[in-house]
Structures are given as C-alpha cells and as structure tokens.
Amino acid sequence: MALIPCRECGRTISSEAVACPQCGAPPLAASVPPPISTPALPTEPRREAQEETLHSDPYVSVTSSRVIIRGTTYALRNITSVRMTVTAPSTTLPTLMIVFGAIVLFMALLSFLNSAAAGFTTLVIAAAIIGLGVLWLRSLKTFFHVAIASSSGEANALSSIDRTYIDTVVQSINKAIVQYR
C-alpha cells in the first residue's frame, strides 16, 4: 500500500482506496481487487419457477400461483379458503299455486251440483293451475357456488347447477392452496 495524492483535492489517500474520503474522487491508479475465488459448489439443475396448471376449462383456470374465473384473477397467496355453498330454490310461490288450484278444484266439484258445464269449466281451470304449479316446482334448480374467502371477505366466484363441476373446481383450488402456498 502506498500513499498517493488525490487528483481532485490534492490530499493524501491510500493507493488501495476506491475513492477519496474528502471529495469522493477516484484515485489515478485505482486498482480493482481481483474477484474472490470460491470453491466450486456442486451444481443442481436450476428450476425455473414455472406456473403449473391444475385445472383448466373455458371458464376457470387454476394454476400454482393464481385462479382465473370468468376473467377475474385471484392471487393464490390472497385466498384464505375455498368451499362449495348451496342455494336452494324458493318453493313458496309454486306451492301456493298448487294449493290455490286445489281450492278451485274443490269449487269445481261443488259447481257440478248446480251445473255440469260450469263444473267442467272450473275443473279444467283447476287442473291447469295445479299442472302449472307442478311444472314450476319441477323446473326449480339448486345452485352450487365456488365461495372464495380472502382477507377482504367471501365472494361467490362461480355458480352452476352442476354439483360435480363446482366440486371439481373447489378441489383443484384447495389442492393449489395446499401445494403451492
């Protein structure tokens, strides 16, 4: 090590200094120390952080880092839980319609005592009301939902009448949470 003058301020600095402590200028004979050699470590094949797809269909994509449902992306690290929820249809109005049809049917039977034509007309109306009520009841469907919970709350991210499909999506999201978070 030698002492040399700084080229900017003229003060004496070490020849090994990277810069002058007073003005910050590099010395004229700035030498860069050789890199420190380290012993060769056994090399492992480098794994690139590839995104693995666990489930994919036209509406849902579940990968190792995110969940995309109908264009909305949920970061896997933000999802705290996922479950299937069920919404049963309301059967109140169709049931009331069938009860009303039964009342009209009773009135049809009473009107047969006075007039056969009036009784028959009322009977047809009662049958139509009861038939429509039964068709309405049969057309009601139970909806299943993918409920995703995060720190900001829970949201039904996907709904369908197909229980198997919703269960498959829920299982794939749960698998991604367990394996990749």
Side-chain angles (χ1 to χ4, degrees), residues 57-177:
D57 63 50
Y59 305 109
V60 178
S61 179
V62 179
T63 67
S64 56
S65 64
R66 59 188 161 173
V67 177
I68 304 169
I69 299 177
R70 295 189 187 238
T72 303
T73 303
Y74 301 89
L76 192 63
R77 68 180 176 272
N78 293 338
I79 298 174
T80 56
S81 68
V82 63
R83 64 189 177 103
M84 178 172 56
T85 59
V86 179
T87 302
S90 174
T91 59
T92 305
L93 290 176
T95 304
L96 287 175
M97 188 174 194
I98 292 171
V99 169
F100 178 71
I103 293 170
V104 173
L105 180 63
F106 179 71
M107 290 172 43
L109 295 176
L110 289 178
S111 64
F112 263 118
L113 299 175
N114 296 335
S115 166
F120 182 74
T121 305
T122 312
L123 183 67
V124 169
I125 292 171
I129 292 172
I130 292 172
L132 287 173
V134 169
L135 286 175
W136 190 357
L137 268 177
R138 291 184 53 98
S139 71
L140 296 176
K141 303 290 183 199
T142 301
F143 278 89
F144 303 95
H145 313 280
V146 175
I148 294 179
S150 67
S151 60
S152 61
E154 186 173 274
N156 286 337
L158 180 67
S159 298
S160 175
I161 59 173
D162 186 0
R163 181 186 184 111
T164 307
Y165 173 66
I166 296 296
D167 192 44
T168 302
V169 172
V170 168
Q171 286 179 7
S172 62
I173 295 172
N174 275 326
K175 182 179 177 183
I177 289 171

Side-chain angles (χ1 to χ4, degrees), residues 11-28:
R11 299 205 178 169
T12 306
I13 61 170
S14 169
S15 62
E16 294 179 3
V18 179
C20 175
Q22 283 76 25
C23 69
L28 288 173

